[in-house]
Amino acid sequence: MSAFVGKYADELIKTAKYIATPGKGILAADESTGTIGKRLSSINVENTEPNRQALRELLFTAPGALTSLSGVILFEETLYQKTASGKPFVDVLNEAGVIPGIKVDKGTVELAGTNGETTTQGFDSLGARCAQYYKAGARFAKWRAVLKIGVVEPTELAIQQNAQGLARYAITCQENGLVPIVEPEVLTDGNHGIEKCADVTERVLAAVYKALNDHHVLLEGTLLKPNMVTPGSDSPKVAPEVIAEYTVIALRRTVPAAVPGIVFLSGGQSEEEATLNLNAMNKLEVLKPWTLTFSFGRALQQSTLKTWGGKVDNIGKAQEVFLTRCKANSDATLGKYAGGGAGGLASESLFVKGYKY
């Protein structure tokens, strides 16, 4: 099916290719007000706008860290925030060669008649919001669809509804100048084996790319944000090399070579696990027509958050921790991470059952 080539086509292709630069990745700092509140409460910090701003400023101004990043996904509030000295965050990022992005979905709602399966909402005024975000400096967007593995899940209804939703979102973004990050997340919740996760991931991705083509989405101006193929959260863990092999096979079978980059979500893995798995994928000596990189939220921020603890005196140390994680993942995109950029905090599990943003 012919792709839609609108007035932004060249810019979309250029932006997507830049974000997928080997050695760089995405910081997902798009937690909703409620979700960031949970993170702040874990370090006994009140969920206020000044505290949310302070955390984001700590990340965006960490010396040396932004050289490992090509993009940062923002929440709407953050898109319009400034540093304490009055400089817009968008300008801070752009000057460091980091492209600002924006979360545009409005969370999930249950699909009636299913066993807790969901679809994603946020289509109301989506085009107008995308145009507004472009004007504010955003150049890419994110929309998260969620699927779960169960006895009969994901159902065909859930797969098709989420695939169609992602495609509709993607073409709306492209019409308004934003590169869509397509995120069909298969949750790790459950006691299934890695083979089951591989099967479901392949079926979901096949449906997503069929829908994207049906909606005339310009694949060269998109990015994919999938889960890694892993055993369920209640199953025994496997080696990074096993996860790498299953994940890359699933992607090779389903993701067209026209897509410039695949930016993995961390999905509740510990910081170190996510980095080691990404590194193992990039060490695989098979044809990979797309860049394999990261779009991590918790797996880039958790140890930084705990080191900061809401205290001004800890900002420098917290920024050093953040730099360590950024460098580790940058190395992993090149298959050059040697391990050990961890420390105790980086090895802690970040799994949350039925995780919601």
Side-chain angles (χ1 to χ4, degrees), residues 30 35 39 73 102-109 118-123 141-148 162-163 165-166 169 180-189 225-227 265-268 298 352-357:
D30 59 327
T35 299
R39 307 268 171 87
I73 312 172
I102 181 74
K103 169 192 165 92
V104 298
D105 71 70
K106 299 289 186 180
T108 57
V109 288
T118 60
T119 188
T120 304
Q121 57 189 349
F123 290 109
K142 193 200 84 167
W143 177 287
R144 178 179 181 247
V146 184
L147 297 114
K148 69 175 195 173
N162 282 292
L166 284 165
Y169 138 80
I181 290 184
V182 176
E183 181 179 4
E185 177 175 4
V186 178
L187 295 175
T188 59
D189 305 51
K225 181 171 178 174
N227 52 283
L265 58 90
S266 53
R298 288 170 287 172
V352 177
K353 191 177 170 103
Y355 182 67
K356 292 182 174 64
Y357 277 77

Side-chain angles (χ1 to χ4, degrees), residues 177-293:
L178 301 181
V179 168
I181 290 184
V182 176
E183 181 179 4
E185 177 175 4
V186 178
L187 295 175
T188 59
D189 305 51
N191 59 4
H192 52 273
I194 193 169
E195 296 86 357
K196 177 69 172 177
C197 181
D199 169 65
V200 170
T201 299
E202 286 181 32
R203 285 194 286 130
V204 167
L205 290 176
V208 166
Y209 279 99
K210 172 68 166 66
L212 290 171
N213 275 284
D214 287 348
H215 283 254
H216 311 292
V217 173
L218 180 68
L219 295 182
E220 292 87 348
T222 68
L223 296 164
L224 175 69
K225 181 171 178 174
N227 52 283
M228 297 182 187
V229 175
T230 67
S233 55
D234 298 328
S235 294
K237 292 186 182 298
V238 298
E241 292 74 19
V242 177
I243 289 171
E245 187 172 350
Y246 274 94
T247 302
V248 171
I249 286 173
L251 296 171
R252 278 163 52 98
R253 288 173 176 171
T254 54
V255 183
V259 177
I262 296 173
V263 296
F264 288 100
L265 58 90
S266 53
Q269 301 175 81
S270 74
E271 293 177 335
E272 185 71 354
E273 279 176 330
T275 308
L276 289 171
N277 290 338
L278 178 61
N279 187 68
M281 286 179 222
N282 280 299
K283 287 179 77 171
L284 274 180
E285 293 184 2
V286 296
L287 176 64
K288 298 176 292 250
W290 357 255
T291 302
L292 298 180
T293 182

Side-chain angles (χ1 to χ4, degrees), residues 7 42 47 57 67-68 77 80 102-103 148 157 163 171 176 184 195 214 217 224 263 271 308 311 323 335 345:
K7 66 177 181 177
S42 73
N47 185 16
E57 179 168 348
T67 58
S68 298
E77 174 185 78
Y80 298 99
I102 181 74
K103 169 192 165 92
K148 69 175 195 173
L157 172 68
I171 195 65
N176 292 282
E195 296 86 357
D214 287 348
V217 173
L224 175 69
V263 296
E271 293 177 335
W308 173 51
K311 296 180 173 62
L323 173 61
L345 290 176

